[in-house]
């Protein structure tokens, strides 16, 4: 069995900054509520005409990751793309990336695991590398949330939280035994699928049916729905469980964690987990204040920033953890 390491990281966020005050001009909300409940001060939104899409932002992040990995795009053996906001209903963004990067042909697959998408994608990549089937796998998490949110007061409990952006990682076969991904841990609990969901358009909620069933337009399945407090309670429980699971699997304890990068769902969730594990401030990386919740992109964006700032360095034990729609959750334990 081979081992997988992260050889290169990159991120891209649109230039357009949207502050809480900007949102308060569109809906009944305010900076105080958003800051207090979520920690978010601003987020990035794609601006009409700036050319950004979920796939193209992923490509921008990927190009940086590929360069930092010291490989060529032609060395990529597989693309794994995680998103809940693809450019098309089908095909997935993975094939768009293959085309945009001008890779002759290569396998490309999309992962649909929402906020846990990046960890699921890393786990998939890791399996292919471990078995020796592929050497270099490009993993991308990217989201265009702003294109599909309800920016009226009706949608405020969801719309203020989410932002756009992309992060990417090149995973490659590690030459050093013991360095790289030590383990990944994935879970789902579909009985809560609709607690955080966007029901349509889908084959079950196709456009004519949506219009026929909602003549007044009051129950709108094409905007995300979130049972916020229920999701919050499940998140803090599952985050803790799956971090512990990863530590135990590797015979590690909390004091071995050099950096925890939690999915940026809500600053209060990250702070709860930090307090529960009694981690010092410099052992947890948060950037939700600047970008909001970017779902599958949040961990690779945060990991890239932490690495750029020298907060993730060789020899460190890095823990990634996520929870989100599905419900799905997961963790990855990495020796950097
Ligand atoms: O990333 C995937 C996983 N996602 C999560 O983990 C998110 C988990 N949930 C949350 O982060 C929080 O539940 C939210 C941030 C979504 C909401 O915070 P909350 O403290 O649970 O607030 P709430 O939904 O209980 O709403 C409290 C009040 C309500 O008013 P009333 O009924 O008390 O009069 C809402 O209508 O706040 C109101 N409200 C707002 N007020 C101003 C909801 N959204 C807003 C808003 N601005 N944007």
């Amino acid at each position: 069995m081979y081992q997988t390491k992260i050889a290169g990281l990159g991120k891209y966020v649109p230039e357009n900054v949207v502050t809480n005050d900007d949102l308060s001009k569109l809906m009944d909300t305010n900076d105080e509520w958003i800051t207090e409940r979520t920690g978010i001060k601003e987020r990035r939104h794609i601006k009409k005409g700036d050319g950004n899409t979920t796939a193209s932002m992923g490509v921008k992040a990927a190009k940086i990751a590929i360069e930092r990995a010291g490989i060529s795009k032609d060395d990529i053996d597989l693309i794994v793309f995680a998103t809940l906001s693809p450019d098309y209903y089908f095909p997935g963004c993975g094939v768009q990336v293959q085309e945009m990067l001008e890779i002759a042909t290569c396998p490309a697959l999309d992962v649909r695991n929402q906020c846990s998408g990046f960890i699921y994608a890393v786990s998939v990549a890791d399996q292919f590398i471990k078995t020796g089937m592929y050497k270099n796998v490009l993993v991308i998490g990217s989201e265009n949330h702003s294109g599909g949110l309800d920016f009226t007061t009706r949608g405020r409990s969801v719309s203020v939280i989410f932002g756009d952006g992309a992060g990417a990682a090149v995973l490659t076969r590690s030459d050093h035994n013991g360095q790289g991904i030590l383990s990944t841990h994935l879970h789902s609990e579909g009985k809560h699928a609709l607690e955080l969901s966007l029901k349509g358009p889908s084959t079950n909620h196709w456009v004519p049916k949506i219009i026929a069933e909602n003549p007044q337009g009051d129950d709108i399945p094409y905007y995300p729905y979130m049972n916020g407090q229920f999701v919050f309670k499940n998140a803090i429980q599952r985050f803790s469980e799956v971090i512990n699971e990863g530590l135990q699997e590797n015979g590690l304890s909390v004091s071995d964690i050099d950096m925890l990068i939690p999915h940026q769902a809500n600053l209060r969730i990250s702070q709860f987990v930090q307090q529960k594990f009694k981690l010092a401030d410099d052992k947890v990386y948060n950037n939700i204040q600047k970008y909001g919740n970017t779902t599958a992109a949040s961990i690779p964006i945060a990991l890239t920033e932490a690495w750029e700032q020298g907060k993730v360095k060789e020899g460190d034990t890095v823990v990634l953890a996520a929870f989100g729609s599905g419900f799905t959750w997961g963790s990855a334990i990495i020796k950097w």
Side-chain angles (χ1 to χ4, degrees):
M1 283 288 241
Y2 296 101
Q3 194 157 20
T4 309
K5 68 172 181 180
I6 296 183
L9 289 162
K11 75 167 218 287
Y12 173 81
V13 290
E15 279 176 23
N16 180 34
V17 176
V18 177
T19 65
N20 294 343
D21 286 340
D22 291 333
L23 291 179
S24 71
K25 290 173 194 134
L26 303 174
M27 63 185 89
D28 181 12
T29 191
N30 55 75
D31 177 51
E32 194 187 349
W33 191 96
I34 301 172
T35 306
E36 198 178 296
R37 307 280 175 138
T38 70
I40 300 165
K41 297 302 284 184
E42 58 188 43
R43 73 287 292 142
R44 305 296 178 97
H45 283 175
I46 290 174
K47 204 172 186 171
K48 211 172 171 197
D50 72 5
N52 284 315
T53 71
T54 298
S56 72
M57 289 192 297
V59 167
K60 288 175 186 168
K63 283 183 173 169
I64 299 167
I66 290 168
E67 196 191 331
R68 286 175 172 168
I71 62 165
S72 142
K73 44 112 179 157
D74 297 315
D75 298 323
I76 303 287
D77 300 310
L78 167 71
I79 297 165
V80 187
F81 199 111
T83 187
L84 64 66
S85 51
D87 293 359
Y88 306 122
Y89 191 88
F90 72 84
C93 289
V95 298
Q96 290 176 267
V97 170
Q98 172 266 319
E99 173 64 11
M100 289 178 194
L101 284 177
E102 296 176 352
I103 296 171
T105 72
C106 77
L109 65 89
D110 277 39
V111 164
R112 297 194 48 179
N113 288 81
Q114 297 70 247
C115 298
S116 315
F118 184 75
I119 290 185
Y120 267 77
V122 161
S123 183
V124 169
D126 183 32
Q127 309 315 309
F128 277 115
I129 292 172
K130 266 185 186 158
T131 57
M133 182 155 173
Y134 296 130
K135 190 168 176 213
N136 299 307
V137 182
L138 174 61
V139 176
I140 298 173
S142 180
E143 304 287 358
N144 168 7
H145 283 306
S146 65
L149 294 172
D150 180 1
F151 288 109
T152 69
T153 298
R154 182 185 51 205
R156 66 181 179 175
S157 62
V158 172
S159 303
V160 301
I161 298 171
F162 292 96
D164 302 338
V170 170
L171 272 60
T172 195
R173 197 182 289 167
S174 172
D175 300 327
H176 305 289
N177 205 12
Q179 183 199 33
I181 295 170
L182 302 182
S183 62
T184 56
H185 307 270
L186 309 177
H187 297 273
S188 76
E189 190 176 26
K191 75 177 171 191
H192 301 311
L194 295 184
E195 301 294 350
L196 176 46
S197 58
L198 188 153
K199 287 199 232 167
S202 66
T203 45
N204 204 25
H205 293 81
W206 203 240
V207 179
K209 195 175 171 212
I210 291 173
I211 295 166
E213 286 178 357
N214 301 283
Q216 311 300 328
D218 44 3
D219 174 23
I220 304 186
Y222 49 82
Y223 286 131
Y225 165 77
M226 175 161 68
N227 182 350
Q229 292 193 4
F230 184 74
V231 175
F232 192 102
K233 281 179 200 148
N234 278 268
I236 54 178
Q237 182 193 336
R238 298 307 193 184
F239 262 109
S240 307
E241 280 175 16
V242 83
I243 292 168
N244 273 327
E245 184 185 356
L247 292 175
Q248 275 164 24
E249 167 89 10
N250 295 287
L252 298 169
S253 62
V254 173
S255 60
D256 294 312
I257 298 176
D258 294 301
M259 182 55 74
L260 168 65
I261 308 222
H263 160 56
Q264 302 291 290
N266 182 323
L267 191 60
R268 283 159 56 213
I269 293 177
S270 294
Q271 287 169 340
F272 180 93
V273 174
Q274 177 180 349
Q275 279 160 18
K276 186 174 165 127
F277 285 94
K278 298 191 173 62
L279 290 167
D281 287 349
D282 63 353
K283 305 260 178 204
V284 184
Y285 191 84
N286 289 305
N287 61 8
I288 192 170
Q289 302 90 330
K290 293 189 290 181
Y291 304 128
N293 178 344
T294 57
T295 306
S298 96
I299 289 180
I301 291 174
L303 185 57
T304 301
E305 284 194 352
W307 176 82
E308 286 170 347
Q309 294 166 17
K311 292 178 178 168
V312 166
K313 44 194 185 314
E314 200 167 329
D316 280 356
T317 299
V318 179
V319 177
L320 313 180
F323 173 89
S325 162
F327 291 153
T328 59
W329 62 101
S331 65
I333 313 293
I334 305 169
K335 190 73 168 169
W336 209 266

